[in-house]
Amino acid sequence: MTKKKKILCGIGIALASSALTLGGVCWFLGLTSVQGVSDAMRFFGARKFIEMRYVEAPDDEALMDGAISGMVKSLGDPHSVYMDAEMFKTLKEHTEGEFGGIGVTMGFKDQKVTILSVLEGTPGEKSGLKAGDEILAVDGTPTSEIEPEQIAMQIRGEKGTEVTLTIHREGQDDFDVTLTRDTIHLDTAKGKMLEGTDGIGYIRIASFGEHTGDEFRKAYESLENQGMKGLIIDLRENGGGLITSCVDIAKLVVPKGPIVSVIQRNGSKEEYDSDLEQSKYPIVVLIDGNSASASEILSGALQDTGAATLVGTKSYGKGSVQVVVPMFHGDGLKLTVARYYTPNGRCIDGTGIEPDVEVPLPPNATEDVQLAKAKEILAGKI
């Protein structure tokens, strides 16, 4: 066989092998349409060209990470994100209730990154960060250049390390704050009897983590043992969390019937219900513009069933549901898969929940007028 024939034979074998491989991949992925096969060819062709011709040998894992991340970014959804192994580990630590960070929760809306709440006793509180502050940059990188969900991961990190945030605060010049990360312990639900009242219990839910349902139950039972006659649930500056924890709490306070319905794009519906025969106590719920996601599920269910009066200002308006899927290299995918609906069929995504009694909190207020109104309303129900 001549040299030319050997080369042509080698090329033919390579092409046949590639075609068989591509055909197998397309079959495995269910890509049976012409468009599906064509898209697969584009993807593998681009990757092969990069591997063969890029000026430096590329990192194969980084190529695949970038491809997956690019697909997710193309959705234009700030709540869907691809997480590499480090980001995925950080997310799991956060939902388990303890992680290294600065102690703030954030919201992503109107292409802004806003601090929703600052936890007590954390680096965020000690540095003077406030709810409403806008984060412009993380370690010098503008937040406009970072995917929303990745911003939180970059702010978190190992205890003792530093992170610098550039902050915009209304009425002030932009400024930098350097914080030393610490282990953040999330006691997400705390309760107490309010002094000077006739049996008014108060439970503040900071977020909905893995243990929030149990924490709420313990606080609720403790208040019952102290003679509670009515309850204030404070969901202000609560950016949400796990829907399962929210449902666990709702089953204690929402009367029998639907709590929330989760509807996917194919119309399939998953409904979470309460078996509580009736509410044991009158309830007032405090909400504000930073009450989001699971906070809105709980407040929406209480409002629709007439089990509570909502006081404060309109909520954030995040009515989508995400699932977190572990992948094959310690990485994961967080993807919006459905929207949730309140018992009356309301989808509040992008609109929020209006309170029954609107009470704005004045800037630089010396008194919590929203809490004062909640106590006044609840006293009239006891």
Side-chain angles (χ1 to χ4, degrees):
M1 184 181 292
T2 65
K3 183 177 181 180
K4 183 176 181 180
K5 287 182 177 180
K6 288 181 180 179
I7 293 173
L8 290 174
C9 182
I11 293 173
I13 291 172
L15 289 173
S17 175
S18 297
L20 288 171
T21 300
L22 180 59
V25 171
C26 290
W27 174 83
F28 177 75
L29 296 177
L31 301 176
T32 55
S33 68
V34 173
Q35 183 63 49
V37 174
S38 174
D39 288 342
M41 291 178 66
R42 289 170 60 210
F43 173 79
F44 285 107
R47 173 167 178 159
K48 194 65 178 176
F49 186 65
I50 292 170
E51 290 175 336
M52 294 176 61
R53 298 298 303 275
Y54 183 61
V55 67
E56 296 177 1
D59 182 320
D60 287 342
E61 186 173 350
L63 282 180
M64 186 53 67
D65 289 351
I68 299 172
S69 179
M71 281 193 292
V72 177
K73 288 178 183 177
S74 71
L75 300 173
D77 175 15
H79 307 297
S80 295
V81 63
Y82 167 70
M83 296 169 285
D84 60 23
E86 184 177 351
M87 287 178 63
F88 190 48
K89 177 175 178 289
T90 302
L91 177 69
K92 289 190 291 184
E93 289 173 348
H94 179 58
T95 57
E96 287 167 1
E98 184 174 303
F99 56 94
I102 63 171
V104 303
T105 58
M106 292 170 291
F108 310 99
K109 195 173 185 180
D110 301 327
Q111 299 183 335
K112 293 181 179 181
V113 183
T114 305
I115 293 176
L116 301 183
S117 64
V118 182
L119 301 178
E120 295 179 6
T122 63
E125 184 191 46
K126 294 172 184 175
S127 69
L129 293 178
K130 298 179 179 180
D133 285 348
E134 181 185 350
I135 301 176
L136 301 179
V138 180
D139 286 332
T141 303
T143 52
S144 59
E145 298 177 9
I146 312 173
E147 289 301 303
E149 291 290 338
Q150 292 177 340
I151 293 170
M153 304 303 175
Q154 290 195 20
I155 291 175
R156 297 172 195 151
E158 187 177 347
K159 177 183 177 180
T161 59
E162 292 186 343
V163 61
T164 299
L165 306 181
T166 302
I167 300 295
H168 171 75
R169 182 177 295 164
E170 198 68 33
Q172 297 185 26
D173 293 335
D174 297 344
F175 58 94
D176 287 343
V177 178
T178 299
L179 307 97
T180 301
R181 298 180 178 98
D182 199 355
T183 300
I184 306 300
H185 301 275
L186 289 180
D187 294 323
T188 53
K190 293 182 179 180
K192 62 181 179 181
M193 294 295 290
L194 295 180
E195 295 181 2
T197 65
D198 182 18
I200 294 180
Y202 170 91
I203 299 179
R204 159 75 176 148
I205 306 176
S207 64
F208 291 88
E210 184 176 343
H211 305 295
T212 308
D214 290 335
E215 292 172 2
F216 182 91
R217 180 185 294 275
K218 290 177 183 177
Y220 185 81
E221 291 174 349
S222 173
L223 293 174
E224 283 191 308
N225 293 334
Q226 296 176 62
M228 176 172 65
K229 298 178 182 179
L231 175 63
I232 294 173
I233 301 176
D234 193 344
L235 296 174
R236 292 175 296 179
E237 300 181 2
N238 181 328
L242 301 177
I243 189 173
T244 49
S245 293
C246 172
V247 169
D248 287 343
I249 294 170
K251 288 181 177 180
L252 295 173
V253 293
V254 175
K256 191 172 184 177
I259 296 169
V260 62
S261 299
V262 179
I263 301 179
Q264 301 184 30
R265 73 175 184 185
N266 64 1
S268 62
K269 179 178 179 180
E270 183 177 11
E271 187 173 278
Y272 297 88
D273 297 310
S274 171
D275 295 324
L276 186 69
E277 286 301 328
Q278 61 181 13
S279 300
K280 297 177 67 174
Y281 307 100
I283 298 172
V284 173
V285 177
L286 290 168
I287 61 170
D288 65 8
N290 295 325
S291 303
S293 189
S295 294
E296 294 170 299
I297 291 176
L298 181 58
S299 56
L302 286 165
Q303 185 180 55
D304 280 5
T305 57
T309 301
L310 272 54
V311 173
T313 55
K314 187 169 75 171
S315 65
Y316 187 83
K318 180 182 179 293
S320 59
V321 179
Q322 288 73 41
V323 296
V324 177
V325 182
M327 300 183 77
F328 300 103
H329 295 279
D331 50 353
L333 186 64
K334 184 179 180 183
L335 189 69
T336 298
V337 296
R339 288 188 173 87
Y340 71 74
Y341 293 77
T342 68
N344 286 349
R346 290 186 293 167
C347 178
I348 53 82
D349 196 34
T351 59
I353 293 177
E354 295 283 353
D356 299 302
V357 180
E358 185 172 3
V359 182
L361 188 63
N364 304 316
T366 57
E367 178 192 2
D368 189 342
V369 294
Q370 294 172 333
L371 179 59
K373 187 64 175 179
K375 290 192 290 185
E376 176 190 327
I377 292 172
L378 198 54
K381 294 174 178 287
I382 294 175

